[in-house]
Amino acid sequence: MINKIPFALCIHGGAGVITPENLSQADKKKIKEDLILALNAGEAILAEGGNAVDAVTAAVVVLENSIHFNAGKGAVYSREGKHLLEASIMDGATLEAGAVANSMKIKNPVLFAKSLLENKELIMISGEAADNLAEQTNHELVENNYFDTDFRKEQFLEAKKISETATFLDHSNLKMGTVGAVALDRNGNIAAATSTGGMTNKLDGRIGDSAIIGAGTYANNKTCGVSCTGVGEYFIRATVASMVSNLMEFGKMSLEQATETTIKGHLTQLGGEGGLIAIDKDGNVNFSYNSEGMYRGYVSEKNSEKKVFIWDLEEKN
């Protein structure tokens, strides 16, 4: 009988300027509840022997459907007042990947990205072509105003008052951002997924790291899975997600050494801000960030733990 590997799952809801004095208890409670719901969704699949790809997808769908994060419902507004969504997913067993950028109609971009894992001729598609393909392949589509929320509207208008052309990291005004998940299943397979609405007042057509394999998302059974959050341009330049894996595979670093070197060394030196979540092939979970806080959590079968964090210490109920 083959010994099964204990499963592990970690998630994030974005990193940025998150301070205790500016996060209300009501908002904090709702955020923690949604993080737990996402962990529960992924855990339910892994506990039944399901695969890592399905688990990260289920966790991210929960976060896309929450108005408390910048992905799916509740995504930020672009410069032209639209919601332009991106997501990606990678299977560490096969190195197959799927990604979508600048979708205006796909309700759950991570589900569409997942469907591209089976498309041998396509990894990444954007804009109207992505929405058309999603329609042809029976994904749920919505009108762009489905993604509207009052808070995002206020945020957009406030950003316009500050600057017509500047972009703003979602957390610069203390709200949640990009979402993602990484999982290790009992068969030793790793997967990672990321989803976002990008940056407030971003130039229409701009693509961040969340849609780019190797920058915002990466998974390889030899090493680890990674999902990132922050200012995408820096994560693209630093190839953050794949750098962690490469430092482990070729630099022989541990997961913790690789993430700290990548975030607090390379990314910080470039001037970038944000963080990542990661799981290695042995089920070790790691969070590394150089911002004030990061919404995150994990569940580990090996350690019989389920925890959520905003800052350094675990958030208690």
Side-chain angles (χ1 to χ4, degrees):
M1 182 177 177
I2 298 174
N3 291 324
K4 295 293 185 181
I5 296 167
F7 68 77
L9 169 73
C10 59
I11 61 170
H12 70 80
V17 183
I18 311 163
T19 58
E21 59 270 22
N22 287 301
L23 181 63
S24 74
Q25 287 301 309
D27 280 348
K28 185 176 174 182
K29 180 174 184 290
K30 292 172 184 175
I31 293 159
K32 287 162 55 178
E33 287 172 351
D34 282 345
L35 291 174
I36 291 292
L37 284 175
L39 285 173
N40 290 346
E43 180 187 19
I45 290 168
L46 295 170
E48 291 294 321
N51 67 64
V53 168
D54 288 343
V56 295
T57 304
V60 171
V61 164
V62 170
L63 299 173
E64 286 180 339
N65 289 343
S66 167
I67 65 169
H68 299 116
F69 303 94
N70 175 21
K73 180 69 174 175
V76 299
Y77 285 81
S78 71
R79 197 162 301 173
E80 299 300 322
K82 302 295 184 183
H83 306 284
L84 300 170
L85 311 175
E86 60 188 62
S88 62
I89 190 167
M90 189 167 186
D91 182 350
T94 62
L95 302 188
E96 291 173 343
V100 58
N102 288 318
S103 165
M104 291 179 60
K105 294 183 177 181
I106 302 171
K107 181 182 179 186
N108 291 107
V110 72
L111 291 176
F112 178 67
K114 181 189 176 190
S115 71
L116 295 179
L117 291 174
E118 300 165 9
N119 190 321
K120 304 305 179 186
E121 299 177 349
L122 182 69
I123 288 179
M124 185 178 186
I125 188 169
S126 68
E128 188 177 352
D131 291 338
N132 290 341
L133 181 59
E135 183 174 19
Q136 293 164 18
T137 49
N138 299 314
H139 286 271
E140 186 174 359
L141 301 184
V142 293
E143 292 303 316
N144 197 246
N145 61 12
Y146 160 81
F147 304 107
D148 289 355
T149 59
D150 291 340
F151 169 75
R152 295 301 183 197
K153 187 70 172 179
E154 292 168 12
Q155 181 187 51
F156 176 58
L157 295 174
E158 189 62 31
K160 287 289 191 184
K161 289 179 186 176
I162 298 169
S163 171
E164 281 290 332
T165 58
T167 56
F168 299 87
L169 181 62
D170 190 39
H171 292 268
S172 61
N173 63 350
L174 313 168
K175 281 290 181 177
M176 295 57 69
T178 295
V179 306
V182 181
L184 170 72
D185 65 33
R186 286 177 175 162
N187 291 317
N189 294 319
I190 299 171
T194 311
S195 182
T196 191
M199 296 176 71
T200 298
N201 207 37
K202 67 182 180 180
L203 187 66
D204 287 56
R206 176 259 191 191
I207 296 173
D209 66 303
S210 297
I212 299 177
I213 298 302
T217 304
Y218 195 75
N220 188 329
N221 279 10
K222 291 181 181 179
T223 53
C224 64
V226 179
S227 174
C228 302
T229 173
V231 182
E233 282 70 18
Y234 291 97
F235 282 75
I236 294 169
R237 290 168 58 198
T239 60
V240 167
S242 60
M243 178 172 280
V244 175
S245 175
N246 290 338
L247 288 173
M248 293 179 69
E249 182 175 0
F250 305 113
K252 306 304 178 185
M253 290 186 182
S254 68
L255 179 67
E256 183 175 6
Q257 289 172 326
T259 59
E260 291 291 292
T261 298
T262 302
I263 294 295
K264 296 185 179 174
H266 190 42
L267 181 74
T268 301
Q269 288 167 12
L270 280 177
E273 180 191 346
L276 61 78
I277 60 172
I279 295 177
D280 70 14
K281 60 186 177 61
D282 298 316
N284 297 307
V285 176
N286 181 271
F287 308 110
S288 183
Y289 58 97
N290 65 2
S291 49
E292 291 194 46
M294 181 166 74
Y295 298 101
R296 63 203 190 278
Y298 76 91
V299 57
S300 168
E301 186 177 32
K302 178 169 64 175
N303 300 325
S304 299
E305 293 177 331
K306 184 184 295 181
K307 296 182 178 181
V308 296
F309 303 81
I310 300 175
W311 301 286
D312 290 339
L313 300 177
E314 177 192 359
E315 290 295 317
K316 301 294 186 180
N317 290 332

